[in-house]
Amino acid sequence: QVRLVESGGGSVQAGGSLRLSCAVSGYSHYMGWFRQAPGQKREGVAVISADNSPFYADPAKGRFTIAWDNSKNTVYMQMNRLKPEDTAMYYCAAGRIGSRNILDPDEYTYWGQGTQVTVSS
């Protein structure tokens, strides 16, 4: 069993930055950040493995950085140069059970409650 608690969302203007945090209890080899905008499907943003290999969706490349601090059992995602299209509920996920697409939310078992990110133009 893995428990996840997100924090760090908020409202910023375009071009601003936010850092999301996900406190983790339990073990998972992969930890990921996903997001869901109103009326849209949940999508992968970034995933990191236990050996600190990151994987990014195209919209996140060059702007977002995922990191895992094992000493604090926390996964972070630094989001820079935010755009209005980044507005969504962001979820932390763990417990990957699939093997086809590391950024596919259907491959993850455990989810946090989500934290809202709103970017205004």
Side-chain angles (χ1 to χ4, degrees):
Q1 188 77 13
V2 177
R3 186 167 178 264
L4 308 168
V5 180
E6 302 103 329
S7 60
S11 297
V12 295
Q13 290 191 322
S17 299
L18 284 172
R19 188 177 78 158
L20 305 183
S21 300
C22 175
V24 183
S25 62
Y27 175 78
S28 177
H29 186 75
Y30 293 99
M31 294 293 305
W33 285 99
F34 297 78
R35 68 186 183 186
Q36 187 167 18
Q40 302 295 317
K41 291 177 58 177
R42 191 170 296 189
E43 63 177 5
V45 179
V47 171
I48 190 166
S49 65
D51 60 359
N52 279 311
S53 295
F55 305 85
Y56 296 100
D58 285 344
K61 290 178 181 176
R63 298 189 300 128
F64 296 179
T65 302
I66 190 170
W68 195 340
D69 187 336
N70 285 297
S71 69
K72 297 181 179 180
N73 293 325
T74 301
V75 175
Y76 302 96
M77 186 164 70
Q78 178 68 40
M79 304 188 296
N80 298 327
R81 304 202 313 274
L82 283 161
K83 305 175 181 179
E85 50 264 44
D86 294 317
T87 295
M89 185 72 80
Y90 282 70
Y91 297 91
C92 183
R96 184 181 180 216
I97 56 173
S99 60
R100 291 191 299 176
N101 181 353
I102 200 168
L103 290 166
D104 185 348
D106 289 339
E107 294 197 358
Y108 292 81
T109 305
Y110 303 104
W111 294 87
Q113 81 287 354
T115 185
Q116 178 68 38
V117 171
T118 302
V119 184
S120 57
S121 57

